[in-house]
Amino acid sequence: MTEAGTVFVVDDDADVRDSLCALLEASGFRALAFDGPKTFLASDAPKRAGCLIADIRMPDMDGLALQQELARRGAQLAVIIITGHGDVPLAVRAMKAGAIDFIEKPFDDAILLASVRRALTTGQRAREDAALANKARDRLAGLTPRERQVLELLVAGKQNKAIARELSISPRTIEIHRAHLMDKMQASSLSELVRLAIAAGVTSPSA
């Protein structure tokens, strides 16, 4: 079994669910099926690690609406849409909204499995990015207003002397602020400090 998470299959067609789960499990994936979006959303699955395979056409809620609801909840599941030929325009809309792939019926097993592997990797990366952003925001909250100013100017690519001139303080004071920033943000290098700042949403000096 793979360790990247569970592949959640949401489809109102029992035969499709069963065949997909059989294929996934035979290929080493953990698979869990749901008979519709409402059942899926009522479970703990949206909070778990993995990816989602959803049919674009289902009663009550289609695959695009399900994807939008997951985005609203902040779920970190990469989405693969299964579509019939006539539903391709809707599937393209799903991709524009964040789905990583759409696969037309009848689908090729190798293509589906390759898409699942890519989705699991994408989902894992999204969870890691979200964890980094949360950690960076927590650290950012501990900065003083002046330290925040210095950080924003560093992210803007300015050197110590330029920052000192802009803030009307000495370069030595900027060096002290930088040292405090490195400590409070728990960064071992300037590049890591900038990466954390960007993850926390610091992209330019405050207006």
Side-chain angles (χ1 to χ4, degrees):
M1 290 286 181
T2 66
E3 297 301 325
T6 301
V7 183
F8 301 105
V9 177
V10 179
D11 198 304
D12 59 315
D13 186 320
D15 290 338
V16 172
R17 292 196 307 271
D18 291 346
S19 63
L20 274 173
C21 286
L23 171 64
L24 291 163
E25 290 171 351
S27 302
F29 298 101
R30 291 190 296 270
L32 187 59
F34 295 86
D35 60 8
K38 291 185 177 180
T39 307
F40 173 74
L41 291 170
S43 73
D44 69 341
K47 299 178 181 178
R48 292 168 57 183
C51 71
L52 168 66
I53 301 175
D55 195 353
I56 198 71
R57 294 285 185 187
M58 292 180 284
D60 301 323
M61 178 184 286
D62 63 26
L64 180 57
L66 173 57
Q67 177 189 354
Q68 291 168 340
E69 175 60 20
L70 289 173
R72 188 189 68 80
R73 295 186 181 194
Q76 302 296 329
L77 292 172
V79 178
I80 300 168
I81 294 293
I82 298 176
T83 174
H85 178 70
D87 295 325
V88 169
L90 192 58
V92 171
R93 280 179 56 200
M95 288 195 69
K96 289 179 178 178
I100 71 155
D101 205 356
F102 72 86
I103 299 176
E104 290 187 83
K105 301 174 185 176
F107 50 80
D108 179 273
D109 290 354
I111 291 175
L112 176 72
L113 293 172
S115 184
V116 166
R117 293 185 186 96
R118 186 165 63 255
L120 289 171
T121 299
T122 299
Q124 178 64 27
R125 188 178 302 118
R127 287 187 294 275
E128 291 171 354
D129 289 347
L132 176 64
N134 288 333
K135 178 172 62 177
R137 282 192 292 267
D138 287 344
R139 295 174 186 176
L140 190 70
L143 302 184
T144 66
R146 178 63 88 187
E147 288 166 350
R148 174 66 182 252
Q149 283 183 307
V150 172
L151 180 60
E152 290 172 344
L153 292 166
L154 285 170
V155 171
K158 297 194 175 183
Q159 300 294 322
N160 284 6
K161 289 182 179 179
I163 296 173
R165 284 195 301 270
E166 184 157 340
L167 299 181
S168 299
I169 54 181
S170 71
R172 174 57 183 159
T173 302
I174 296 300
E175 291 176 5
I176 293 170
H177 284 313
R178 277 186 57 163
H180 290 165
L181 283 170
M182 300 288 282
D183 182 54
K184 290 183 177 181
M185 295 296 289
Q186 299 178 38
S188 59
S189 65
L190 179 59
S191 62
E192 185 179 359
L193 178 65
V194 171
R195 182 170 65 91
L196 286 166
I198 291 172
V202 178
T203 56
S204 62
S206 298

